[in-house]
Amino acid sequence: MSTRRFSHSDPELDELYSDLSTEHLQPLWELKGLLTPTPTVASVPHRWSAAQLRSLGERSGRLVGIDRGGDRRVLACANPGLGGAPYAVSSLWAAVQYLGPREVAPAHRHTPAALRFILEGSGVWTLVDGDPLAMSAGDLVLTPSWTFHEHHNPSDEPMLWMDVLDLPMVAALEAVFFEEGPSEDVERLTDPVSRSERSYGAPGLLPPPAERTTPTRHSPLLAYRWADTDRALARRLDVTGAGAATMTYVDPTTGRDVMPTMRCEAHCVVEGASSPRIRQTGSRVLTVFHGSGVAEVGEQRFDLGPGDILAIPSWVPWSLHAHERIDAFSTSDAPVLHALGLYREQEQP
Ligand code: GTQ
Ligand code: FE2
């Protein structure tokens, strides 16, 4: 057993290299590509098409029972630059999950945090630590790290949504834990307003400090409804007057990102307009909720329509151009980069 061996024409130096290898040591002066002027980025810009995601989700629904090969029927976006790893970008898992009529994805929890953005339909409830959260098109639903969650579809229609997890980051830090939990009775799930929304769901209004839930690392508000997001985007568009606006989903008690590892943003670009071309450290996955247009990511252009999922790797300039008004949702690892002092952003010409 030895580590990578370097060689040299000088026999003495070559012998040193041999001994270094035996001792599992490597000479920095022979190592290339470590301290690069700008980030080395493995993942590539890529788009998964909504039509494919939907039809392959449906086919999986017909062929694969919820109990076969795991409890969740999930198709993970695998970035072509990541050598077969089931990650959409290097730091984020993104996937579509398909839950058929009257199916249940049983309770469990894990240290990787998850969120769902619902692209179409309604009728599924996700229970997060026992709190039933209705899921409808345009909603963002959080399942923070180590919270028990389960998905119930008591309706007659299948439903498909997007999951994003910080799994690649938690796996890189070797801190993944998982456990199964007791599933709840589906009969309890009829209430459309969760406990979390009753206390934290009104803009600018909170229970008195002494009555708030013990602060955690994540937002106590676990569902962000499309009607609120839509109104916020419309008002913000009026203010910016720029034809494009972005709103960040935050913890209403702190103003910070909804979870410690992931930033969620809603974007809109009006017909004929473009969002600013920017590049940022950290990676992002974006999905289109409404509208159509083109995404420019680095040198590539992708036609975009509802339900498409787009991978935007670190430090690649990107912008959206709307043919019809685009509403989009994105998740990035920005809170991690900020926390570590690694966040950089540049507007590109
Ligand atoms: O819905 O609980 O896409 O545990 C990956 C892992 C979804 C989930 C994913 C999960 C889930
Ligand atoms: Fe899960």
Side-chain angles (χ1 to χ4, degrees), residues 72 108 110 116 149:
R72 291 169 300 294
H108 64 280
H110 34 73
R116 340 254 157 220
H149 53 283

Side-chain angles (χ1 to χ4, degrees), residues 72 74 93-97 105 108 110 114 116 143 149 151 161 163-165 178:
R72 291 169 300 294
V74 164
W93 166 283
V96 289
Q97 181 159 177
H108 64 280
H110 34 73
R116 340 254 157 220
T143 44
H149 53 283
H151 316 305
W161 63 86
D163 295 318
V164 181
L165 282 83
F178 173 94

